[in-house]
Amino acid sequence: QNRPQSRFLSFLSTTAFYICFSNYTQRVDFIMTETTTANTIESDQKDMVTLVSLDDHKFTLPVAAAGLSEMVGNALGLGDDEDEDEDDEDDDGDNADKPTGKTVELLKVTSRCLEKVVQFMEHHHQEKMNDIPMPLPGNNFEECMTQEWYREFVREMDRDMIFEILGAANYMNIKPLLDLACLRVTFELTGKSAEEIRVYLNLPELTAEEEAKAREEHAWIFEESNN
């Protein structure tokens, strides 16, 4: 039973962004890719960054926490100045303090979703989320996610928010958040038929040719639904 769950997790991790931002109008291609781990950012706690949502709401948090997002880290140029910092150690100290008041606009993330994302990044900075092992270590969400804060964080979300989180985590390249949301959806889909999965993901109905191809290439989905 862990096998289909593992495949669901891989499938969701690589297609969540497509589902959320295509408005469910195109067929989902089952493409397996790897998401790179977010860079570890060492930054003084006093350095702050402001994240601006699609609807122009602003959220300020430490750079060290925001750096969990590889997208934000790249936008701020974090990690690019290490060599320059070493060369400047003997300077007069004019450049010792990096400028604060940095801002990153997130044009695909709503304020209600970004609020949750910021909560996740700030908590992750204090208590790192354990990696989700593959294959999954249990047969339900509680067995696979033993850290209470992270378990409750996604458990309280409705389906629409979960999919917003999936899209934001992929867009911002926050691998732990993407994995956590995918884990929650994985167990929402476990035991459902192929048709129930289609409805849950709000996907268009397959043509006869597309269903035949899906049965040939992803037979495990249909085998699971027939059990």
Side-chain angles (χ1 to χ4, degrees), residues 86-136:
E86 293 177 0
D87 294 338
D88 291 342
E89 286 180 357
D90 296 331
D91 289 350
D92 295 334
D94 294 338
N95 298 322
D97 294 327
K98 292 184 179 181
T100 57
K102 305 161 187 173
T103 299
V104 177
E105 295 185 357
L106 302 170
L107 302 179
K108 293 185 178 180
V109 186
T110 64
S111 58
R112 78 170 196 140
C113 181
L114 186 54
E115 181 179 10
K116 293 290 187 182
V117 173
V118 169
Q119 288 176 7
F120 181 91
M121 293 192 292
E122 289 182 326
H123 187 84
H124 192 279
H125 185 54
Q126 301 299 323
E127 180 198 5
K128 183 177 180 181
M129 191 183 90
N130 298 331
D131 292 337
I132 299 173
M134 299 296 290
L136 297 178

Side-chain angles (χ1 to χ4, degrees), residues 14-24 26-29 170:
T14 55
T15 60
F17 77 101
Y18 188 93
I19 295 170
C20 292
F21 292 122
S22 65
N23 294 320
Y24 313 108
Q26 302 179 24
R27 302 292 190 255
V28 174
D29 293 323
N170 186 83

Side-chain angles (χ1 to χ4, degrees), residues 1-222:
Q1 190 171 3
N2 281 339
R3 186 180 177 190
Q5 293 173 3
S6 300
R7 289 178 175 175
F8 264 130
L9 189 60
S10 297
F11 157 67
L12 289 167
S13 295
T14 55
T15 60
F17 77 101
Y18 188 93
I19 295 170
C20 292
F21 292 122
S22 65
N23 294 320
Y24 313 108
T25 58
Q26 302 179 24
R27 302 292 190 255
V28 174
D29 293 323
F30 293 80
I31 304 172
M32 311 303 285
T33 60
E34 294 183 357
T35 306
T36 58
T37 303
N39 294 330
T40 300
I41 306 299
E42 294 183 358
S43 176
D44 193 310
Q45 184 71 18
K46 69 181 180 180
D47 282 344
M48 306 295 287
V49 60
T50 298
L51 305 182
V52 184
S53 69
L54 170 65
D55 44 343
D56 203 34
H57 286 246
K58 297 177 175 60
F59 300 86
T60 300
L61 69 160
V63 169
L68 182 64
S69 164
E70 187 169 333
M71 174 189 180
V72 172
N74 290 339
L76 296 175
L78 298 176
D80 294 343
D81 300 329
E82 293 180 358
D83 294 337
E84 294 179 10
D85 290 343
E86 293 177 0
D87 294 338
D88 291 342
E89 286 180 357
D90 296 331
D91 289 350
D92 295 334
D94 294 338
N95 298 322
D97 294 327
K98 292 184 179 181
T100 57
K102 305 161 187 173
T103 299
V104 177
E105 295 185 357
L106 302 170
L107 302 179
K108 293 185 178 180
V109 186
T110 64
S111 58
R112 78 170 196 140
C113 181
L114 186 54
E115 181 179 10
K116 293 290 187 182
V117 173
V118 169
Q119 288 176 7
F120 181 91
M121 293 192 292
E122 289 182 326
H123 187 84
H124 192 279
H125 185 54
Q126 301 299 323
E127 180 198 5
K128 183 177 180 181
M129 191 183 90
N130 298 331
D131 292 337
I132 299 173
M134 299 296 290
L136 297 178
N139 295 320
N140 57 57
F141 182 69
E142 289 73 17
E143 291 177 356
C144 295
M145 176 44 63
T146 59
Q147 292 170 278
E148 182 179 2
W149 189 92
Y150 292 104
R151 186 171 62 244
E152 296 304 317
F153 176 72
V154 292
R155 182 185 303 198
E156 65 183 19
M157 296 179 186
D158 59 26
R159 193 202 72 163
D160 290 342
M161 176 57 77
I162 280 289
F163 278 97
E164 280 198 56
I165 289 291
L166 282 167
N170 186 83
Y171 170 63
M172 297 175 67
N173 203 345
I174 308 175
K175 187 179 184 299
L177 180 56
L178 184 63
D179 288 346
L180 179 62
C182 285
L183 184 68
R184 158 73 193 277
V185 176
T186 291
F187 286 104
E188 289 290 333
L189 298 181
T190 299
K192 293 186 183 303
S193 67
E195 175 60 17
E196 289 172 329
I197 292 172
R198 185 193 69 78
V199 172
Y200 183 87
L201 297 178
N202 201 19
L203 299 174
E205 292 189 42
L206 299 177
T207 65
E209 293 77 9
E210 288 170 332
E211 181 174 342
K213 183 178 180 181
R215 286 182 178 276
E216 178 181 352
E217 297 180 356
H218 309 287
W220 57 274
I221 297 178
F222 299 91

